[in-house]
Amino acid sequence: MYIVPSSTAYNVSRRLANILSCNISGVIRKRFPDNEMYLRVNENLNDEDVIIIGNTRSDQDIIEYLLLLDAVKEESPRSLIAVIPFFGYARQHMRYNNGEPISSKVFTQAINNYADKIISVELHNEQTLKYSKIPFINIKIINPIYNYFRDKKIDYVISPDDGGYERARILGSKLGIPAYYIDKKRIDSKTVKMELPDEDYNGKNILLLDDIISTGGTIIKATKLLRENNANKIYACAIHGVFALNSNERIEKYVDELTVTDTIETKYSNITVADDIASSLKDKIKV
Ligand code: R5P
């Protein structure tokens, strides 16, 4: 079995290769003079079980992932599993206005042309799964977050919106502490109103848990509310650290600690999703 890593997922690929005791294929990458991407998978993958790992955060990441899929498929592998720890373009999982594409469908269907199975982590919306004709597994991450925070004396887990409450509730119950969510209402395209539940936050250590941090607006607003209510330590944690517009630098000024997983590799990736991906691969490695 071989793992073929995209340039966005070296760490998680190495961790997964260790867990599964399999090889990592080399990939030669360069740019043509006109800046188009060139790559070449440096391994004979004929009749091998192959896992391609990479996230699709940027347009460039998507091109690289598609080129890897084609490069591997041309080798006639025995099986091909597409592992996409961070599935970008997933926010547009439906049409909000006429004339819009459904971007999560576009990419899912493109992968369907190559892979036998797709594995991703905490998709923005499970509607994306329905666009796939091949098995598509969406892994929920709880245990590695629990292991990371279990000794940090957290008093409450709080989701910044009701959509993330189930994740907070499950983690809270594992940690043996209450979980809440912030009432978040969008007033207009620029204004979001957030209201904390009526609890005692004085001197409490809070874990703010979200699926994704992008501009950081949500986490910063939630942190400010908690500070106004005299919370003690505030740990901000998300599965995916997108950190648009370098929001990590702003968030760090407000929170005591910022932690994300390695679905997107950043200096805050203190939690790995490799074990969970390995378990889902081991469930049925043959496709
Ligand atoms: C909202 O539905 C999500 O769960 C996140 O709270 C949101 O996408 C975070 O975005 P930002 O960091 O830009 O506030």
Side-chain angles (χ1 to χ4, degrees):
M1 185 195 296
Y2 275 93
I3 288 177
V4 177
S6 95
S7 56
T8 60
Y10 285 128
N11 292 344
V12 79
S13 294
R14 265 196 297 270
R15 288 172 187 139
L16 198 56
N18 271 338
I19 300 168
L20 299 174
S21 301
C22 67
N23 301 306
I24 296 191
S25 164
V27 179
I28 297 166
R29 295 181 173 81
K30 53 188 184 184
R31 290 275 176 183
F32 288 107
D34 59 3
N35 210 33
E36 286 186 359
M37 191 184 292
Y38 169 92
L39 58 80
R40 182 167 167 229
V41 176
N42 210 12
E43 207 70 55
N44 178 3
L45 299 175
N46 181 252
D47 214 24
E48 294 283 351
D49 291 315
V50 181
I51 302 162
I52 303 180
I53 308 186
N55 76 49
T56 56
R57 184 186 156 193
S58 69
D59 305 358
Q60 178 177 307
D61 301 340
I62 291 177
I63 299 285
E64 181 181 354
Y65 202 88
L66 292 173
L67 294 183
L68 284 174
L69 282 168
D70 196 65
V72 171
K73 192 70 177 174
E74 287 287 329
E75 291 284 301
S76 304
R78 189 161 73 138
S79 68
L80 174 48
I81 300 180
V83 174
I84 304 169
F86 174 67
F87 199 101
Y89 279 83
R91 289 191 203 206
Q92 190 89 24
H93 60 274
M94 56 182 270
R95 282 185 118 185
Y96 298 93
N97 297 294
N98 289 344
E100 290 176 349
I102 302 173
S103 57
S104 79
K105 182 185 72 177
V106 174
F107 192 55
T108 302
Q109 291 181 345
I111 302 168
N112 271 232
N113 292 330
Y114 294 98
D116 302 298
K117 183 174 177 177
I118 309 174
I119 295 176
S120 190
V121 175
E122 302 261 6
L123 283 168
H124 182 68
N125 190 292
E126 296 218 324
Q127 171 63 32
T128 299
L129 302 174
K130 302 200 175 113
Y131 299 130
S132 186
K133 291 197 171 69
I134 58 173
F136 190 163
I137 296 168
N138 180 29
I139 303 173
K140 308 275 179 152
I141 304 294
I142 289 289
N143 282 340
I145 302 177
Y146 166 73
N147 289 333
Y148 186 77
F149 284 103
R150 63 199 290 183
D151 298 324
K152 293 204 188 278
K153 298 189 168 47
I154 308 286
D155 293 299
Y156 303 151
V157 185
I158 299 184
S159 165
D161 56 39
D162 60 345
Y165 175 64
E166 189 55 9
R167 181 184 303 105
R169 189 192 63 73
I170 295 169
L171 183 64
S173 122
K174 274 182 88 78
L175 290 166
I177 57 176
Y180 305 108
Y181 67 89
I182 296 176
D183 190 31
K184 183 173 154 187
K185 282 197 186 72
R186 183 161 288 285
I187 310 296
D188 56 44
S189 64
K190 287 203 179 119
T191 327
V192 171
K193 197 168 166 239
M194 290 174 90
E195 223 168 89
L196 278 177
D198 192 15
E199 299 294 335
D200 177 16
Y201 300 98
N202 195 10
K204 304 286 190 207
N205 297 328
I206 311 288
L207 170 55
L208 271 175
L209 180 64
D210 209 347
D211 59 339
I212 184 167
I213 298 176
S214 182
T215 64
T218 305
I219 284 291
I220 290 174
K221 202 158 186 163
T223 303
K224 282 181 177 168
L225 280 179
L226 288 162
R227 295 273 181 236
E228 283 163 18
N229 283 269
N230 303 317
N232 182 29
K233 285 201 165 164
I234 300 177
Y235 297 89
C237 176
I239 312 290
H240 308 297
V242 171
F243 300 135
L245 312 168
N246 296 326
S247 62
N248 51 306
E249 289 167 15
R250 271 176 294 116
I251 297 166
E252 273 195 297
K253 292 185 186 138
Y254 291 90
V255 303
D256 292 279
E257 192 185 306
L258 175 58
T259 295
V260 292
T261 76
D262 54 2
T263 58
I264 298 172
E265 291 169 3
T266 72
K267 65 174 177 172
Y268 309 95
S269 299
N270 299 320
I271 298 173
T272 183
V273 297
D275 299 280
D276 290 59
I277 292 175
S279 308
S280 98
L281 283 162
K282 278 180 191 159
D283 275 352
K284 198 169 180 294
I285 202 80
K286 286 261 187 72
V287 287

